[in-house]
Every structure is written in C-alpha cells, then in structure tokens.
C-alpha cells in the first residue's frame, strides 16, 4: 500500500493533523495551495456561492498512489473550498480515498453530508469519513475559546488527545486497502 496524504489547512489545525497522520502511515504528503490569499470573507463567499477557488497545480501524479487520504476543514457542513477545487480537477485520478477533518464540531449528520458531497464530486464513495472535534478536547484546553471554537488553534499536545481516533482511522483503512 502506498498512500498519499493530501491536505488543505487554513489556520494550521488540519496541517498538524496531516503531519500526525503522515507519521502513522509513513507516507508522502502534499499540500493544496490556493492561488491567492484566503480570508474569512473569501471563505464565506465560497460557501454562500458554492464556488471553487483557484488552486496551484498539483506537484505529483496521483496515479502512483494506492490510497489518497484527504485532510481539510469542514466549513458550514461542507468541505473546504480549496479541497473541493482539488477534487474537481483531479477526480479522474482518484481511486481509493478517505477523508478526515479536525473541525470545531458538528451534529450527527455532518459526516453523512460530507460523505455525500465527496461522493458527488469524485464519482465514487470514500472508504471512510472521520471528524475529530475541537469541542471534544479537555475543557481546560478550549474553555477560553468557547465562544469562537472555529478559531481555536490546536497545539501538538492537543493532537495527542486524538491519537486513539487517528489510530482507529488508520486501522480502518489499512486492512481495506491491503486486502484489495
């Protein structure tokens, strides 16, 4: 199995998650880079207008990987615009894939909506979709940010809180791909 982690991170949280996953999989990693500066307003417009922002060209051939693991924020119940742009552009090169996000939190339906959105864009279902919620961190870590959980900056120590969930995600994928 040769996986590739493809990530977009606006505030750095999902970048920390992507690099933690890289340690688990011992694999390559690729950052999705927007062509221009991303602001809260441009993100808001992406969500409201369902637009896909411009991104820089992909630096690697996705065809050389058995599994793609996408890591990105979830904004208003949808995958981040730059990841959506990447998926639209590269969908013909995407076979087996999974998605994981470090996000503020959500209701029980958010993962189902994200799975549906991914399937619609790529044209095939993800192997799995997993959310790690900032609101699940110990209260002392996030209590001062309770009013703006979406702006919370996760630390490497915070990522350690999610290690069991990350390992569960890895374990869920590894047998699936190895036995194909």
């Amino acid at each position: 199995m040769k996986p590739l982690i493809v990530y977009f991170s606006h505030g750095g949280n999902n970048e920390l998650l992507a690099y933690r996953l890289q340690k688990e999989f011992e694999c390559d990693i690729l950052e999705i880079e927007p062509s221009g500066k991303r602001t809260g307003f441009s993100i808001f417009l992406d969500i409201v207008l369902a637009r896909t922002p411009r991104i820089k060209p992909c630096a690697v051939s996705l065809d050389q990987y058995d599994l793609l693991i996408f890591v990105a924020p979830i904004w208003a119940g949808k995958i981040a615009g730059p990841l959506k742009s990447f998926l639209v552009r590269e969908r013909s090169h995407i076979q087996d894939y999974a998605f994981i996000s470090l996000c503020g939190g959500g209701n029980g339906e958010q993962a189902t909506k994200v799975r549906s959105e991914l399937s619609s864009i790529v044209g095939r279902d993800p192997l799995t979709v997993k959310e790690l919620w900032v609101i699940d961190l110990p209260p002392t870590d996030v209590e001062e940010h309770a009013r703006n959980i979406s702006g919370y900056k996760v630390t490497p120590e915070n990522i350690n809180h999610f290690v069991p969930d990350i390992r569960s995600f890895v374990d869920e994928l590894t047998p699936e791909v190895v036995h194909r």
Side-chain angles (χ1 to χ4, degrees):
M1 171 178 71
K2 186 174 182 183
L4 172 67
I5 295 170
V6 180
Y7 78 92
F8 168 74
S9 185
H10 179 68
N13 291 350
N14 281 282
E15 181 175 30
L16 280 174
L17 174 58
Y19 278 97
R20 183 62 181 89
L21 279 166
Q22 184 188 32
K23 288 180 185 178
E24 292 292 325
F25 281 101
E26 298 177 2
C27 65
D28 296 338
I29 193 165
L30 172 70
E31 180 182 8
I32 298 169
E33 298 181 71
S35 293
K37 184 177 182 202
R38 305 292 295 151
T39 65
F41 185 66
S42 63
I43 290 167
F44 171 76
L45 289 177
D46 289 350
I47 294 166
V48 171
L49 302 175
R51 65 184 192 179
T52 52
R54 286 182 289 213
I55 58 172
K56 294 179 181 177
C58 182
V60 300
S61 170
L62 301 183
D63 295 326
Q64 65 182 315
Y65 296 95
D66 301 319
L67 172 66
L68 300 176
I69 301 165
F70 296 111
V71 181
I74 297 172
W75 293 330
K78 298 186 180 296
I79 59 172
L83 175 58
K84 183 177 178 183
S85 296
F86 183 88
L87 296 172
V88 167
R89 188 172 70 199
E90 300 293 333
R91 70 178 143 222
S92 65
H93 301 283
I94 299 171
Q95 296 304 316
D96 288 332
Y97 73 101
F99 175 82
I100 187 168
S101 178
L102 181 53
C103 55
N107 58 32
E109 299 172 15
Q110 184 168 273
T112 302
K113 290 178 182 177
V114 167
R115 176 182 289 278
S116 178
E117 182 181 15
L118 289 164
S119 298
S120 175
I121 294 167
V122 176
R124 65 186 62 73
D125 292 340
L127 298 173
T128 190
V129 170
K130 185 150 190 88
E131 299 170 287
L132 307 177
W133 294 352
V134 170
I135 60 172
D136 287 340
L137 288 170
T140 55
D141 290 349
V142 295
E143 61 191 13
E144 69 184 67
H145 301 281
R147 281 186 243 152
N148 186 19
I149 204 76
S150 64
Y152 182 73
K153 289 284 196 183
V154 173
T155 66
E157 293 77 28
N158 291 147
I159 290 293
N160 290 334
H161 173 81
F162 295 111
V163 166
D165 295 313
I166 292 168
R167 290 206 173 123
S168 170
F169 176 79
V170 171
D171 291 345
E172 189 174 342
L173 288 174
T174 306
E176 177 78 24
V177 176
V178 169
H179 292 98
R180 284 190 168 196

